[in-house]
Amino acid sequence: MNDASIPVCQAADPAPRSPGFAVPDGATDCHFHVFGPADRFPYTPNRTYTPPDQPAEAYRHLIDTLGVTRCVTIHPSVYGTDNAITEWLLQEAAGWSGIEMRGIAVLDAGIDDAALRRLDKLGVRGVRYNLLYKGGPPAEEIRAMAGRIAEMGWHIQFLVDVSSFDLATYADLPVEIVVDHMGHMDPTKGLEEPGFATLLDLLRGGRTWVKLSGAYRSTNLQQTPYTDVVPIARALARTAPERCVWGTDWPHPFAQIPMPNDGDLMDELAVWVPDEKQRNAILVGNPARLYGF
């Protein structure tokens, strides 16, 4: 596949609105990406999409608008296992006044121990396996990688559709697991869908976390509020509120519906978790434990 045949993403809304609820001090965005410039950070040819440049400065404007002061950059699939942009961003963020950042890497199985320790020092706290889009390492490498990162206290992060991927296969890993975007669960399948039921069981087990994020990926609606996703998010938060975290998923790569505004997306969290104390734990205390803020 040549670059011309790879679909180009929409850009994020450049004018985010402030959320309509009081955002607590230490609020954390547990899932965002930065893209480009492409001539400095080239994309892997084996990718599903091509994003427009979405620079660090635009993300900083976003979190200042939302009231977020802690954040976790997630290495995007379009870069394969070349973590140069993630390493650069973690170093760059060290100079951002009032902001703390951690990172999640995508790693080649051949990475040496010295490189792992260097990433840990930079603030990397986990390894992502994106099994929905091209560019990531294969699932066959998960167990070996989990064994290597366990001593550093890292976790394995999954981007999967829980209705077609058996998460229970990895319940015995020596590390905790984190599931992106509410398990990419199609709301039309209902809360009794076996894969979603497995996710809830794993959350009850105490070694699995889930991100209340990416509702625009699962919804069958065209704009916020994504009311069809509410039962899914509430079921997750009700089952294990102490192991839920939240993320913007900015700049919303490969969105298949009209681009939402990030203030509206953050307001969805107040609908999913109306209790302020519980919502503040999801925004502050839970990510502090998971990422070591």
Side-chain angles (χ1 to χ4, degrees), residues 26-30 69-73 99-103 123 125 283-293:
T28 309
D29 175 6
C30 294
T69 56
R70 295 170 175 170
C71 46
V72 184
T73 183
I99 302 296
E100 293 182 81
M101 190 180 295
R102 301 289 186 266
R125 294 296 178 262
L283 286 169
V284 183
N286 295 355
R289 289 188 289 118
L290 180 59
Y291 297 102
F293 285 111

PDB file of all heavy atoms in Angstrom, residues 26-30 69-73 99-103 123 125 283-293:
ATOM      1  N   GLY A  26      -5.278  18.555  39.693  1.00  0.00           N
ATOM      2  CA  GLY A  26      -4.624  17.278  39.426  1.00  0.00           C
ATOM      3  C   GLY A  26      -5.354  16.404  38.440  1.00  0.00           C
ATOM      4  O   GLY A  26      -4.991  15.226  38.254  1.00  0.00           O
ATOM      5  N   ALA A  27      -6.368  16.944  37.770  1.00  0.00           N
ATOM      6  CA  ALA A  27      -7.111  16.156  36.785  1.00  0.00           C
ATOM      7  C   ALA A  27      -6.163  15.642  35.702  1.00  0.00           C
ATOM      8  O   ALA A  27      -5.253  16.346  35.266  1.00  0.00           O
ATOM      9  CB  ALA A  27      -8.223  16.992  36.166  1.00  0.00           C
ATOM     10  N   THR A  28      -6.417  14.411  35.270  1.00  0.00           N
ATOM     11  CA  THR A  28      -5.489  13.702  34.400  1.00  0.00           C
ATOM     12  C   THR A  28      -6.166  13.236  33.123  1.00  0.00           C
ATOM     13  O   THR A  28      -7.211  12.576  33.170  1.00  0.00           O
ATOM     14  CB  THR A  28      -4.915  12.469  35.134  1.00  0.00           C
ATOM     15  OG1 THR A  28      -4.415  12.869  36.416  1.00  0.00           O
ATOM     16  CG2 THR A  28      -3.792  11.824  34.331  1.00  0.00           C
ATOM     17  N   ASP A  29      -5.537  13.554  31.998  1.00  0.00           N
ATOM     18  CA  ASP A  29      -5.916  12.998  30.701  1.00  0.00           C
ATOM     19  C   ASP A  29      -5.042  11.774  30.478  1.00  0.00           C
ATOM     20  O   ASP A  29      -3.838  11.899  30.235  1.00  0.00           O
ATOM     21  CB  ASP A  29      -5.693  14.038  29.606  1.00  0.00           C
ATOM     22  CG  ASP A  29      -5.951  13.492  28.204  1.00  0.00           C
ATOM     23  OD1 ASP A  29      -6.409  12.329  28.084  1.00  0.00           O
ATOM     24  OD2 ASP A  29      -5.686  14.221  27.230  1.00  0.00           O
ATOM     25  N   CYS A  30      -5.629  10.601  30.547  1.00  0.00           N
ATOM     26  CA  CYS A  30      -4.860   9.360  30.500  1.00  0.00           C
ATOM     27  C   CYS A  30      -4.685   8.801  29.092  1.00  0.00           C
ATOM     28  O   CYS A  30      -4.189   7.673  28.941  1.00  0.00           O
ATOM     29  CB  CYS A  30      -5.516   8.296  31.387  1.00  0.00           C
ATOM     30  SG  CYS A  30      -5.488   8.711  33.137  1.00  0.00           S
ATOM     31  N   THR A  69      -3.922  18.987  34.360  1.00  0.00           N
ATOM     32  CA  THR A  69      -2.518  19.281  34.664  1.00  0.00           C
ATOM     33  C   THR A  69      -1.620  18.043  34.651  1.00  0.00           C
ATOM     34  O   THR A  69      -0.415  18.160  34.821  1.00  0.00           O
ATOM     35  CB  THR A  69      -2.383  19.963  36.038  1.00  0.00           C
ATOM     36  OG1 THR A  69      -2.981  19.126  37.043  1.00  0.00           O
ATOM     37  CG2 THR A  69      -3.059  21.330  36.029  1.00  0.00           C
ATOM     38  N   ARG A  70      -2.222  16.868  34.467  1.00  0.00           N
ATOM     39  CA  ARG A  70      -1.444  15.641  34.335  1.00  0.00           C
ATOM     40  C   ARG A  70      -1.923  14.923  33.079  1.00  0.00           C
ATOM     41  O   ARG A  70      -3.120  14.973  32.758  1.00  0.00           O
ATOM     42  CB  ARG A  70      -1.634  14.730  35.563  1.00  0.00           C
ATOM     43  CG  ARG A  70      -1.107  15.314  36.858  1.00  0.00           C
ATOM     44  CD  ARG A  70      -1.542  14.475  38.041  1.00  0.00           C
ATOM     45  NE  ARG A  70      -0.959  14.950  39.293  1.00  0.00           N
ATOM     46  CZ  ARG A  70      -1.311  14.523  40.494  1.00  0.00           C
ATOM     47  NH1 ARG A  70      -2.275  13.594  40.615  1.00  0.00           N
ATOM     48  NH2 ARG A  70      -0.744  14.998  41.573  1.00  0.00           N
ATOM     49  N   CYS A  71      -1.025  14.250  32.390  1.00  0.00           N
ATOM     50  CA  CYS A  71      -1.414  13.647  31.125  1.00  0.00           C
ATOM     51  C   CYS A  71      -0.507  12.465  30.792  1.00  0.00           C
ATOM     52  O   CYS A  71       0.612  12.360  31.284  1.00  0.00           O
ATOM     53  CB  CYS A  71      -1.397  14.678  30.007  1.00  0.00           C
ATOM     54  SG  CYS A  71       0.069  15.736  29.975  1.00  0.00           S
ATOM     55  N   VAL A  72      -1.046  11.585  29.947  1.00  0.00           N
ATOM     56  CA  VAL A  72      -0.346  10.360  29.555  1.00  0.00           C
ATOM     57  C   VAL A  72      -0.367  10.277  28.035  1.00  0.00           C
ATOM     58  O   VAL A  72      -1.429  10.120  27.426  1.00  0.00           O
ATOM     59  CB  VAL A  72      -1.010   9.106  30.163  1.00  0.00           C
ATOM     60  CG1 VAL A  72      -0.188   7.858  29.816  1.00  0.00           C
ATOM     61  CG2 VAL A  72      -1.148   9.255  31.678  1.00  0.00           C
ATOM     62  N   THR A  73       0.809  10.390  27.420  1.00  0.00           N
ATOM     63  CA  THR A  73       0.899  10.289  25.972  1.00  0.00           C
ATOM     64  C   THR A  73       0.988   8.821  25.564  1.00  0.00           C
ATOM     65  O   THR A  73       1.759   8.052  26.150  1.00  0.00           O
ATOM     66  CB  THR A  73       2.095  11.086  25.417  1.00  0.00           C
ATOM     67  OG1 THR A  73       2.085  11.002  23.995  1.00  0.00           O
ATOM     68  CG2 THR A  73       3.427  10.589  25.955  1.00  0.00           C
ATOM     69  N   ILE A  99       2.732  21.110  34.525  1.00  0.00           N
ATOM     70  CA  ILE A  99       2.222  19.910  33.860  1.00  0.00           C
ATOM     71  C   ILE A  99       3.128  18.724  34.164  1.00  0.00           C
ATOM     72  O   ILE A  99       4.352  18.828  34.088  1.00  0.00           O
ATOM     73  CB  ILE A  99       2.143  20.106  32.330  1.00  0.00           C
ATOM     74  CG1 ILE A  99       1.257  21.303  31.991  1.00  0.00           C
ATOM     75  CG2 ILE A  99       1.644  18.838  31.648  1.00  0.00           C
ATOM     76  CD1 ILE A  99      -0.193  21.157  32.401  1.00  0.00           C
ATOM     77  N   GLU A 100       2.524  17.587  34.507  1.00  0.00           N
ATOM     78  CA  GLU A 100       3.252  16.325  34.658  1.00  0.00           C
ATOM     79  C   GLU A 100       2.806  15.381  33.549  1.00  0.00           C
ATOM     80  O   GLU A 100       1.613  15.307  33.235  1.00  0.00           O
ATOM     81  CB  GLU A 100       2.950  15.664  36.005  1.00  0.00           C
ATOM     82  CG  GLU A 100       3.457  16.399  37.218  1.00  0.00           C
ATOM     83  CD  GLU A 100       3.123  15.609  38.484  1.00  0.00           C
ATOM     84  OE1 GLU A 100       3.855  14.656  38.805  1.00  0.00           O
ATOM     85  OE2 GLU A 100       2.109  15.950  39.122  1.00  0.00           O
ATOM     86  N   MET A 101       3.759  14.629  32.976  1.00  0.00           N
ATOM     87  CA  MET A 101       3.416  13.723  31.886  1.00  0.00           C
ATOM     88  C   MET A 101       4.065  12.359  32.096  1.00  0.00           C
ATOM     89  O   MET A 101       5.181  12.245  32.585  1.00  0.00           O
ATOM     90  CB  MET A 101       3.865  14.289  30.534  1.00  0.00           C
ATOM     91  CG  MET A 101       3.343  13.518  29.329  1.00  0.00           C
ATOM     92  SD  MET A 101       3.895  14.204  27.732  1.00  0.00           S
ATOM     93  CE  MET A 101       3.090  15.800  27.758  1.00  0.00           C
ATOM     94  N   ARG A 102       3.312  11.323  31.731  1.00  0.00           N
ATOM     95  CA  ARG A 102       3.820   9.956  31.651  1.00  0.00           C
ATOM     96  C   ARG A 102       3.577   9.461  30.222  1.00  0.00           C
ATOM     97  O   ARG A 102       2.903  10.117  29.435  1.00  0.00           O
ATOM     98  CB  ARG A 102       3.107   9.036  32.658  1.00  0.00           C
ATOM     99  CG  ARG A 102       3.249   9.466  34.102  1.00  0.00           C
ATOM    100  CD  ARG A 102       4.661   9.262  34.630  1.00  0.00           C
ATOM    101  NE  ARG A 102       4.725   9.558  36.066  1.00  0.00           N
ATOM    102  CZ  ARG A 102       5.073  10.736  36.573  1.00  0.00           C
ATOM    103  NH1 ARG A 102       5.364  11.752  35.748  1.00  0.00           N
ATOM    104  NH2 ARG A 102       5.118  10.922  37.867  1.00  0.00           N
ATOM    105  N   GLY A 103       4.098   8.271  29.910  1.00  0.00           N
ATOM    106  CA  GLY A 103       3.945   7.765  28.560  1.00  0.00           C
ATOM    107  C   GLY A 103       3.722   6.268  28.507  1.00  0.00           C
ATOM    108  O   GLY A 103       4.066   5.541  29.447  1.00  0.00           O
ATOM    109  N   GLY A 123       9.689   8.330  31.986  1.00  0.00           N
ATOM    110  CA  GLY A 123       8.300   8.391  32.441  1.00  0.00           C
ATOM    111  C   GLY A 123       7.379   7.395  31.779  1.00  0.00           C
ATOM    112  O   GLY A 123       6.162   7.452  31.973  1.00  0.00           O
ATOM    113  N   ARG A 125       5.343   4.083  31.453  1.00  0.00           N
ATOM    114  CA  ARG A 125       4.777   3.247  32.510  1.00  0.00           C
ATOM    115  C   ARG A 125       4.029   2.023  31.969  1.00  0.00           C
ATOM    116  O   ARG A 125       3.398   1.295  32.746  1.00  0.00           O
ATOM    117  CB  ARG A 125       3.817   4.069  33.379  1.00  0.00           C
ATOM    118  CG  ARG A 125       4.516   5.167  34.184  1.00  0.00           C
ATOM    119  CD  ARG A 125       5.489   4.602  35.200  1.00  0.00           C
ATOM    120  NE  ARG A 125       6.205   5.626  35.941  1.00  0.00           N
ATOM    121  CZ  ARG A 125       7.436   6.057  35.653  1.00  0.00           C
ATOM    122  NH1 ARG A 125       8.073   5.546  34.604  1.00  0.00           N
ATOM    123  NH2 ARG A 125       8.013   6.991  36.375  1.00  0.00           N
ATOM    124  N   LEU A 283     -10.621  11.091  37.884  1.00  0.00           N
ATOM    125  CA  LEU A 283      -9.778  12.099  37.258  1.00  0.00           C
ATOM    126  C   LEU A 283      -8.433  12.294  37.949  1.00  0.00           C
ATOM    127  O   LEU A 283      -7.457  12.696  37.304  1.00  0.00           O
ATOM    128  CB  LEU A 283     -10.512  13.440  37.215  1.00  0.00           C
ATOM    129  CG  LEU A 283     -11.641  13.569  36.195  1.00  0.00           C
ATOM    130  CD1 LEU A 283     -12.439  14.840  36.439  1.00  0.00           C
ATOM    131  CD2 LEU A 283     -11.094  13.542  34.770  1.00  0.00           C
ATOM    132  N   VAL A 284      -8.366  12.028  39.246  1.00  0.00           N
ATOM    133  CA  VAL A 284      -7.155  12.387  39.994  1.00  0.00           C
ATOM    134  C   VAL A 284      -6.522  11.177  40.700  1.00  0.00           C
ATOM    135  O   VAL A 284      -5.400  10.775  40.385  1.00  0.00           O
ATOM    136  CB  VAL A 284      -7.447  13.496  41.033  1.00  0.00           C
ATOM    137  CG1 VAL A 284      -6.156  13.910  41.741  1.00  0.00           C
ATOM    138  CG2 VAL A 284      -8.096  14.707  40.373  1.00  0.00           C
ATOM    139  N   GLY A 285      -7.233  10.610  41.659  1.00  0.00           N
ATOM    140  CA  GLY A 285      -6.629   9.572  42.495  1.00  0.00           C
ATOM    141  C   GLY A 285      -6.301   8.297  41.756  1.00  0.00           C
ATOM    142  O   GLY A 285      -5.211   7.714  41.943  1.00  0.00           O
ATOM    143  N   ASN A 286      -7.233   7.822  40.915  1.00  0.00           N
ATOM    144  CA  ASN A 286      -6.986   6.566  40.204  1.00  0.00           C
ATOM    145  C   ASN A 286      -5.773   6.659  39.279  1.00  0.00           C
ATOM    146  O   ASN A 286      -4.895   5.789  39.311  1.00  0.00           O
ATOM    147  CB  ASN A 286      -8.230   6.139  39.414  1.00  0.00           C
ATOM    148  CG  ASN A 286      -9.400   5.794  40.310  1.00  0.00           C
ATOM    149  OD1 ASN A 286      -9.291   5.784  41.532  1.00  0.00           O
ATOM    150  ND2 ASN A 286     -10.536   5.512  39.702  1.00  0.00           N
ATOM    151  N   PRO A 287      -5.683   7.687  38.416  1.00  0.00           N
ATOM    152  CA  PRO A 287      -4.502   7.764  37.558  1.00  0.00           C
ATOM    153  C   PRO A 287      -3.197   7.998  38.326  1.00  0.00           C
ATOM    154  O   PRO A 287      -2.130   7.580  37.870  1.00  0.00           O
ATOM    155  CB  PRO A 287      -4.806   8.934  36.610  1.00  0.00           C
ATOM    156  CG  PRO A 287      -5.955   9.657  37.216  1.00  0.00           C
ATOM    157  CD  PRO A 287      -6.705   8.676  38.035  1.00  0.00           C
ATOM    158  N   ALA A 288      -3.301   8.645  39.475  1.00  0.00           N
ATOM    159  CA  ALA A 288      -2.083   8.820  40.286  1.00  0.00           C
ATOM    160  C   ALA A 288      -1.524   7.465  40.708  1.00  0.00           C
ATOM    161  O   ALA A 288      -0.311   7.234  40.698  1.00  0.00           O
ATOM    162  CB  ALA A 288      -2.386   9.683  41.512  1.00  0.00           C
ATOM    163  N   ARG A 289      -2.419   6.544  41.052  1.00  0.00           N
ATOM    164  CA  ARG A 289      -1.971   5.195  41.420  1.00  0.00           C
ATOM    165  C   ARG A 289      -1.463   4.411  40.222  1.00  0.00           C
ATOM    166  O   ARG A 289      -0.441   3.728  40.290  1.00  0.00           O
ATOM    167  CB  ARG A 289      -3.118   4.423  42.086  1.00  0.00           C
ATOM    168  CG  ARG A 289      -3.480   4.897  43.472  1.00  0.00           C
ATOM    169  CD  ARG A 289      -4.482   3.982  44.142  1.00  0.00           C
ATOM    170  NE  ARG A 289      -5.801   4.078  43.555  1.00  0.00           N
ATOM    171  CZ  ARG A 289      -6.446   3.062  42.956  1.00  0.00           C
ATOM    172  NH1 ARG A 289      -5.860   1.885  42.845  1.00  0.00           N
ATOM    173  NH2 ARG A 289      -7.659   3.219  42.465  1.00  0.00           N
ATOM    174  N   LEU A 290      -2.167   4.510  39.105  1.00  0.00           N
ATOM    175  CA  LEU A 290      -1.821   3.714  37.944  1.00  0.00           C
ATOM    176  C   LEU A 290      -0.513   4.160  37.293  1.00  0.00           C
ATOM    177  O   LEU A 290       0.294   3.323  36.879  1.00  0.00           O
ATOM    178  CB  LEU A 290      -2.967   3.772  36.922  1.00  0.00           C
ATOM    179  CG  LEU A 290      -2.776   2.986  35.621  1.00  0.00           C
ATOM    180  CD1 LEU A 290      -2.566   1.500  35.900  1.00  0.00           C
ATOM    181  CD2 LEU A 290      -3.984   3.188  34.706  1.00  0.00           C
ATOM    182  N   TYR A 291      -0.303   5.485  37.217  1.00  0.00           N
ATOM    183  CA  TYR A 291       0.841   6.007  36.468  1.00  0.00           C
ATOM    184  C   TYR A 291       1.941   6.572  37.354  1.00  0.00           C
ATOM    185  O   TYR A 291       2.987   6.997  36.846  1.00  0.00           O
ATOM    186  CB  TYR A 291       0.375   7.088  35.496  1.00  0.00           C
ATOM    187  CG  TYR A 291      -0.585   6.553  34.449  1.00  0.00           C
ATOM    188  CD1 TYR A 291      -1.963   6.774  34.552  1.00  0.00           C
ATOM    189  CD2 TYR A 291      -0.126   5.814  33.362  1.00  0.00           C
ATOM    190  CE1 TYR A 291      -2.843   6.295  33.609  1.00  0.00           C
ATOM    191  CE2 TYR A 291      -1.007   5.325  32.410  1.00  0.00           C
ATOM    192  CZ  TYR A 291      -2.350   5.570  32.540  1.00  0.00           C
ATOM    193  OH  TYR A 291      -3.231   5.071  31.595  1.00  0.00           O
ATOM    194  N   GLY A 292       1.715   6.608  38.659  1.00  0.00           N
ATOM    195  CA  GLY A 292       2.754   7.088  39.561  1.00  0.00           C
ATOM    196  C   GLY A 292       2.928   8.589  39.569  1.00  0.00           C
ATOM    197  O   GLY A 292       4.044   9.104  39.728  1.00  0.00           O
ATOM    198  N   PHE A 293       1.835   9.333  39.446  1.00  0.00           N
ATOM    199  CA  PHE A 293       1.931  10.798  39.549  1.00  0.00           C
ATOM    200  C   PHE A 293       2.144  11.195  40.999  1.00  0.00           C
ATOM    201  O   PHE A 293       1.617  10.535  41.908  1.00  0.00           O
ATOM    202  CB  PHE A 293       0.657  11.455  39.011  1.00  0.00           C
ATOM    203  CG  PHE A 293       0.555  11.445  37.506  1.00  0.00           C
ATOM    204  CD1 PHE A 293      -0.398  10.642  36.885  1.00  0.00           C
ATOM    205  CD2 PHE A 293       1.391  12.213  36.743  1.00  0.00           C
ATOM    206  CE1 PHE A 293      -0.505  10.627  35.501  1.00  0.00           C
ATOM    207  CE2 PHE A 293       1.289  12.204  35.350  1.00  0.00           C
ATOM    208  CZ  PHE A 293       0.347  11.411  34.729  1.00  0.00           C
TER     209      PHE A 293
END
